[in-house]
Amino acid sequence: MKLRYSPASPYVRKCLVLAHEAGLAGRIDVVPTVTADPTSGLAKDNPLGKIPALTAKDGQVFFDSPVICEYLDSLHRRPKLFPARGKARWTALRRQALADGILDASLLRRYESMRPANERSATWDEKQKNVVARALDALEKEAKNLGKPNAKNTTIGHIAVGCALGYLDFRFAAENWRTRRPNLTRWYEAFAKRPSMAATVPKDQT
């Protein structure tokens, strides 16, 4: 399998963390891809021009990260990271959606910061910052229900939350999301020590 990849992308990281948890990492070849490069061939894999995009052995291409993650989860015999049914499934999917929302807003802030200074909107940035803060506050309220980070019942919800918090550390460390969120902080500090997380720490593309 081939995965369109950037070492800075939190959505790519989510797929790779799941692949490590599922024992599939060795079956995936990462293809470094710059989304702004028209010669990268990305548009042939994903007409939206976004990463990640996964090409399976049979040639099928999957995007974006929720679809890729669920596809990968169908390929192994370990405990599933997408619960099959019931409350556990909907809780995992809801947490994934909440974490992806944090990433969406954070990436919008990141892109805004890269615009020329005279084209940036402080109002827009503050709006996205508030979205992230509300989502973090919601996670703080349920942090005690996330369970032990070293438990075998890890789900896509845990992975997505871990990757979202890791991205905030990567791009917005100065804002210190941990302030007034002790329960979420404790959970994340332990979850970040999982081998799958340690193997996928984000870095700027060189």
Side-chain angles (χ1 to χ4, degrees):
M1 294 181 286
K2 294 183 179 181
L3 181 69
R4 291 282 188 170
Y5 164 88
S6 165
S9 168
Y11 297 113
V12 169
R13 187 187 191 191
K14 184 170 63 161
C15 297
L16 290 176
V17 170
L18 187 139
H20 278 277
E21 295 283 346
L24 300 172
R27 294 169 55 182
I28 297 175
D29 295 322
V30 296
V31 181
T33 303
V34 178
T35 57
D37 180 5
T39 67
S40 69
L42 174 61
K44 293 180 180 179
D45 291 341
N46 182 354
L48 301 175
K50 296 180 178 181
I51 57 173
L54 179 79
T55 302
K57 189 176 181 179
D58 64 1
Q60 288 188 88
V61 181
F62 299 93
F63 52 84
D64 49 8
S65 65
V67 177
I68 293 171
C69 285
E70 191 153 13
Y71 172 72
L72 291 175
D73 201 38
S74 74
L75 302 180
H76 68 95
R77 296 183 179 180
R78 295 184 180 185
K80 296 300 183 180
L81 296 147
F82 282 78
R85 61 182 65 84
K87 183 178 180 180
R89 176 173 176 80
W90 302 118
T91 298
L93 293 181
R94 176 182 58 78
R95 286 173 176 162
Q96 178 181 215
L98 186 60
D100 283 357
I102 290 173
L103 291 179
D104 290 344
S106 297
L107 284 164
L108 287 173
R109 294 188 67 201
R110 170 69 175 167
Y111 299 149
E112 188 72 11
S113 73
M114 297 169 69
R115 292 163 61 89
N118 65 331
E119 295 181 8
R120 298 175 196 166
S121 169
T123 301
W124 174 257
D125 181 78
E126 187 66 20
K127 178 179 179 180
Q128 304 310 321
K129 186 177 180 180
N130 288 337
V131 168
V132 172
R134 291 196 301 271
L136 290 172
D137 289 341
L139 285 172
E140 170 65 15
K141 290 180 180 178
E142 67 173 289
K144 292 183 178 179
N145 295 323
L146 288 172
K148 295 181 179 180
N150 60 351
K152 294 183 179 179
N153 60 344
T154 296
T155 71
I156 186 59
H158 298 102
I159 291 171
V161 170
C163 289
L165 298 179
Y167 187 75
L168 294 180
D169 279 350
F170 178 50
R171 291 300 192 199
F172 299 96
E175 295 180 3
N176 193 10
W177 62 265
R178 293 166 176 77
T179 303
R180 297 187 302 279
R181 299 182 183 105
N183 297 318
L184 187 59
T185 296
R186 281 191 292 272
W187 177 85
Y188 174 71
E189 296 301 333
F191 190 80
K193 294 177 182 178
R194 292 179 76 93
S196 60
M197 292 288 286
T200 57
V201 174
K203 56 185 178 180
D204 282 309
Q205 194 164 17
T206 57

